[in-house]
Amino acid sequence: GVVAWRLALRFAPRLVTHPHRFDLLGVVLSTAGMFGIVFGLQEMNTFHGGEIVGGVTVWMVIVAGVGALGLFLAWQARNPGEPLLPLGLLRNRNFAVANTTISMAAFAVQCFPLPLMFYLQDVRGLPPPLSALLLAPSAIVSAGLARVVGRMVDRAENPRQIVVPSLAVAAGGVLSTTFLGVIP
């Protein structure tokens, strides 16, 4: 570590830097908003949608979270410095569509395994290790293809020609488990 530090001091170029302002209010508002929504949704069943403590209900926490996110967006629109989320980026159609697509795909990828695990274990009666092994091929294929597909998309003249069929295949895979069943 000491040798690397000395070499970096000697050979690393000195780059021009600019002072930045940290959007502390944006961080606080976005954190409060996400906390309120996620906590409320996670604890909805525990408190049966009712009171958590001292007259504060689950629904009040969720509404407060949504309100904090609304304030966050309002602050980001008026922030004179460097906003945490520059809303002008969302005016760029490609940026907005790409982020929406990525968010939806990530949502599907993150949400699909949990009910599948419940199905495999509770309905089909499989032990947890075997249930997990049934998801291993998709993880292995994803890890193996991520770099290859990433390079293809970077080099493609029209990335849509790769992304749209890929999303269709992923959606087909999810739907096939619904219609065909996972285990004969």
Short mmCIF file of all heavy atoms in Angstrom, two decimals, residues 102-130:
data_model
loop_
_atom_site.label_atom_id
_atom_site.label_comp_id
_atom_site.label_asym_id
_atom_site.label_seq_id
_atom_site.Cartn_x
_atom_site.Cartn_y
_atom_site.Cartn_z
N ILE A 102 -34.90 -0.27 -17.66
CA ILE A 102 -33.99 -0.90 -16.71
C ILE A 102 -34.68 -1.09 -15.36
O ILE A 102 -34.55 -2.15 -14.73
CB ILE A 102 -32.70 -0.07 -16.55
CG1 ILE A 102 -31.86 -0.16 -17.81
CG2 ILE A 102 -31.90 -0.50 -15.33
CD1 ILE A 102 -30.73 0.83 -17.89
N SER A 103 -35.45 -0.10 -14.92
CA SER A 103 -36.15 -0.21 -13.64
C SER A 103 -37.19 -1.33 -13.68
O SER A 103 -37.31 -2.10 -12.73
CB SER A 103 -36.83 1.11 -13.29
OG SER A 103 -35.87 2.12 -13.13
N MET A 104 -37.94 -1.41 -14.78
CA MET A 104 -38.95 -2.46 -14.89
C MET A 104 -38.30 -3.84 -14.95
O MET A 104 -38.78 -4.79 -14.31
CB MET A 104 -39.83 -2.21 -16.11
CG MET A 104 -40.74 -1.02 -15.92
SD MET A 104 -41.65 -0.45 -17.38
CE MET A 104 -41.96 -1.87 -18.32
N ALA A 105 -37.23 -3.98 -15.70
CA ALA A 105 -36.53 -5.26 -15.78
C ALA A 105 -35.94 -5.64 -14.43
O ALA A 105 -36.04 -6.80 -14.00
CB ALA A 105 -35.44 -5.21 -16.85
N ALA A 106 -35.34 -4.70 -13.74
CA ALA A 106 -34.78 -4.97 -12.42
C ALA A 106 -35.88 -5.36 -11.44
O ALA A 106 -35.70 -6.27 -10.62
CB ALA A 106 -34.02 -3.75 -11.91
N PHE A 107 -37.02 -4.69 -11.52
CA PHE A 107 -38.15 -5.03 -10.67
C PHE A 107 -38.57 -6.48 -10.90
O PHE A 107 -38.77 -7.25 -9.97
CB PHE A 107 -39.32 -4.08 -10.93
CG PHE A 107 -40.53 -4.34 -10.10
CD1 PHE A 107 -40.58 -3.94 -8.78
CD2 PHE A 107 -41.62 -5.01 -10.63
CE1 PHE A 107 -41.69 -4.20 -8.00
CE2 PHE A 107 -42.75 -5.26 -9.86
CZ PHE A 107 -42.78 -4.86 -8.53
N ALA A 108 -38.68 -6.87 -12.16
CA ALA A 108 -39.09 -8.24 -12.49
C ALA A 108 -38.05 -9.25 -12.01
O ALA A 108 -38.38 -10.29 -11.42
CB ALA A 108 -39.31 -8.38 -13.99
N VAL A 109 -36.78 -8.94 -12.24
CA VAL A 109 -35.72 -9.87 -11.86
C VAL A 109 -35.65 -10.02 -10.34
O VAL A 109 -35.41 -11.11 -9.82
CB VAL A 109 -34.36 -9.39 -12.42
CG1 VAL A 109 -33.20 -10.12 -11.79
CG2 VAL A 109 -34.34 -9.56 -13.93
N GLN A 110 -35.88 -8.93 -9.61
CA GLN A 110 -35.81 -8.98 -8.16
C GLN A 110 -37.05 -9.58 -7.53
O GLN A 110 -36.97 -10.22 -6.49
CB GLN A 110 -35.58 -7.57 -7.59
CG GLN A 110 -34.28 -6.94 -7.99
CD GLN A 110 -33.08 -7.73 -7.50
OE1 GLN A 110 -33.06 -8.21 -6.38
NE2 GLN A 110 -32.08 -7.88 -8.35
N CYS A 111 -38.20 -9.38 -8.15
CA CYS A 111 -39.46 -9.84 -7.54
C CYS A 111 -39.84 -11.26 -7.91
O CYS A 111 -40.57 -11.91 -7.17
CB CYS A 111 -40.59 -8.90 -7.94
SG CYS A 111 -40.41 -7.26 -7.25
N PHE A 112 -39.40 -11.76 -9.02
CA PHE A 112 -39.82 -13.08 -9.49
C PHE A 112 -39.33 -14.23 -8.61
O PHE A 112 -40.09 -15.16 -8.32
CB PHE A 112 -39.38 -13.28 -10.94
CG PHE A 112 -39.79 -14.60 -11.50
CD1 PHE A 112 -41.13 -14.89 -11.71
CD2 PHE A 112 -38.85 -15.56 -11.81
CE1 PHE A 112 -41.52 -16.11 -12.23
CE2 PHE A 112 -39.23 -16.77 -12.32
CZ PHE A 112 -40.57 -17.06 -12.52
N PRO A 113 -38.08 -14.26 -8.16
CA PRO A 113 -37.60 -15.42 -7.41
C PRO A 113 -38.33 -15.68 -6.09
O PRO A 113 -38.50 -16.84 -5.71
CB PRO A 113 -36.12 -15.12 -7.15
CG PRO A 113 -35.75 -14.17 -8.23
CD PRO A 113 -36.98 -13.34 -8.47
N LEU A 114 -38.77 -14.65 -5.38
CA LEU A 114 -39.39 -14.87 -4.07
C LEU A 114 -40.69 -15.67 -4.17
O LEU A 114 -40.81 -16.71 -3.51
CB LEU A 114 -39.61 -13.54 -3.36
CG LEU A 114 -40.20 -13.67 -1.96
CD1 LEU A 114 -39.24 -14.40 -1.03
CD2 LEU A 114 -40.54 -12.30 -1.40
N PRO A 115 -41.66 -15.27 -4.99
CA PRO A 115 -42.86 -16.11 -5.07
C PRO A 115 -42.57 -17.48 -5.68
O PRO A 115 -43.23 -18.47 -5.33
CB PRO A 115 -43.83 -15.31 -5.94
CG PRO A 115 -43.06 -14.21 -6.52
CD PRO A 115 -41.82 -14.03 -5.73
N LEU A 116 -41.59 -17.56 -6.56
CA LEU A 116 -41.21 -18.85 -7.12
C LEU A 116 -40.68 -19.77 -6.02
O LEU A 116 -41.00 -20.96 -5.98
CB LEU A 116 -40.18 -18.68 -8.23
CG LEU A 116 -39.73 -19.96 -8.92
CD1 LEU A 116 -40.91 -20.66 -9.59
CD2 LEU A 116 -38.67 -19.63 -9.96
N MET A 117 -39.88 -19.23 -5.10
CA MET A 117 -39.38 -20.02 -3.97
C MET A 117 -40.54 -20.51 -3.10
O MET A 117 -40.57 -21.66 -2.67
CB MET A 117 -38.41 -19.20 -3.11
CG MET A 117 -37.06 -19.01 -3.70
SD MET A 117 -36.18 -20.56 -3.75
CE MET A 117 -35.88 -20.65 -5.48
N PHE A 118 -41.49 -19.61 -2.82
CA PHE A 118 -42.66 -20.02 -2.03
C PHE A 118 -43.42 -21.14 -2.74
O PHE A 118 -43.86 -22.10 -2.12
CB PHE A 118 -43.60 -18.84 -1.78
CG PHE A 118 -43.04 -17.81 -0.84
CD1 PHE A 118 -43.40 -16.48 -0.98
CD2 PHE A 118 -42.16 -18.14 0.17
CE1 PHE A 118 -42.91 -15.52 -0.12
CE2 PHE A 118 -41.64 -17.18 1.03
CZ PHE A 118 -42.02 -15.87 0.88
N TYR A 119 -43.60 -20.99 -4.03
CA TYR A 119 -44.30 -22.00 -4.82
C TYR A 119 -43.58 -23.35 -4.76
O TYR A 119 -44.18 -24.39 -4.51
CB TYR A 119 -44.45 -21.53 -6.26
CG TYR A 119 -44.97 -22.60 -7.19
CD1 TYR A 119 -46.32 -22.94 -7.19
CD2 TYR A 119 -44.12 -23.27 -8.05
CE1 TYR A 119 -46.80 -23.93 -8.03
CE2 TYR A 119 -44.58 -24.26 -8.89
CZ TYR A 119 -45.93 -24.59 -8.89
OH TYR A 119 -46.39 -25.58 -9.71
N LEU A 120 -42.28 -23.31 -5.00
CA LEU A 120 -41.51 -24.55 -5.05
C LEU A 120 -41.50 -25.26 -3.69
O LEU A 120 -41.58 -26.48 -3.62
CB LEU A 120 -40.08 -24.28 -5.51
CG LEU A 120 -39.92 -23.85 -6.96
CD1 LEU A 120 -38.49 -23.42 -7.23
CD2 LEU A 120 -40.34 -24.95 -7.90
N GLN A 121 -41.41 -24.48 -2.62
CA GLN A 121 -41.31 -25.09 -1.30
C GLN A 121 -42.67 -25.42 -0.71
O GLN A 121 -42.87 -26.51 -0.18
CB GLN A 121 -40.53 -24.16 -0.37
CG GLN A 121 -39.07 -24.04 -0.76
CD GLN A 121 -38.33 -23.01 0.06
OE1 GLN A 121 -38.66 -22.76 1.22
NE2 GLN A 121 -37.32 -22.40 -0.53
N ASP A 122 -43.62 -24.49 -0.78
CA ASP A 122 -44.91 -24.69 -0.12
C ASP A 122 -45.89 -25.51 -0.96
O ASP A 122 -46.64 -26.31 -0.42
CB ASP A 122 -45.54 -23.34 0.24
CG ASP A 122 -44.71 -22.59 1.25
OD1 ASP A 122 -43.91 -23.22 1.96
OD2 ASP A 122 -44.86 -21.35 1.33
N VAL A 123 -45.91 -25.30 -2.26
CA VAL A 123 -46.86 -26.01 -3.11
C VAL A 123 -46.28 -27.33 -3.59
O VAL A 123 -46.92 -28.37 -3.52
CB VAL A 123 -47.29 -25.13 -4.31
CG1 VAL A 123 -48.19 -25.89 -5.25
CG2 VAL A 123 -47.97 -23.86 -3.81
N ARG A 124 -45.05 -27.27 -4.09
CA ARG A 124 -44.43 -28.48 -4.63
C ARG A 124 -43.71 -29.31 -3.57
O ARG A 124 -43.32 -30.44 -3.83
CB ARG A 124 -43.44 -28.12 -5.74
CG ARG A 124 -44.08 -27.52 -6.96
CD ARG A 124 -44.91 -28.56 -7.65
NE ARG A 124 -45.34 -28.07 -8.95
CZ ARG A 124 -45.83 -28.84 -9.88
NH1 ARG A 124 -45.95 -30.12 -9.69
NH2 ARG A 124 -46.21 -28.32 -11.02
N GLY A 125 -43.46 -28.74 -2.40
CA GLY A 125 -42.85 -29.50 -1.31
C GLY A 125 -41.37 -29.75 -1.46
O GLY A 125 -40.82 -30.67 -0.83
N LEU A 126 -40.68 -28.96 -2.24
CA LEU A 126 -39.23 -29.15 -2.41
C LEU A 126 -38.47 -28.56 -1.23
O LEU A 126 -38.87 -27.54 -0.67
CB LEU A 126 -38.76 -28.49 -3.70
CG LEU A 126 -39.29 -29.08 -5.00
CD1 LEU A 126 -38.82 -28.25 -6.18
CD2 LEU A 126 -38.84 -30.50 -5.16
N PRO A 127 -37.34 -29.15 -0.88
CA PRO A 127 -36.52 -28.54 0.18
C PRO A 127 -35.85 -27.27 -0.34
O PRO A 127 -35.63 -27.12 -1.55
CB PRO A 127 -35.48 -29.63 0.48
CG PRO A 127 -35.45 -30.49 -0.73
CD PRO A 127 -36.80 -30.41 -1.36
N PRO A 128 -35.51 -26.34 0.55
CA PRO A 128 -34.90 -25.07 0.13
C PRO A 128 -33.66 -25.21 -0.76
O PRO A 128 -33.55 -24.49 -1.75
CB PRO A 128 -34.58 -24.36 1.45
CG PRO A 128 -35.60 -24.90 2.41
CD PRO A 128 -35.82 -26.34 1.99
N PRO A 129 -32.71 -26.11 -0.47
CA PRO A 129 -31.55 -26.19 -1.35
C PRO A 129 -31.91 -26.57 -2.79
O PRO A 129 -31.36 -26.02 -3.75
CB PRO A 129 -30.67 -27.27 -0.71
CG PRO A 129 -31.08 -27.30 0.72
CD PRO A 129 -32.54 -26.98 0.72
N LEU A 130 -32.84 -27.49 -2.96
CA LEU A 130 -33.23 -27.89 -4.30
C LEU A 130 -33.98 -26.76 -5.00
O LEU A 130 -33.79 -26.52 -6.21
CB LEU A 130 -34.10 -29.16 -4.26
CG LEU A 130 -34.51 -29.73 -5.61
CD1 LEU A 130 -33.29 -30.01 -6.48
CD2 LEU A 130 -35.33 -31.00 -5.41
#
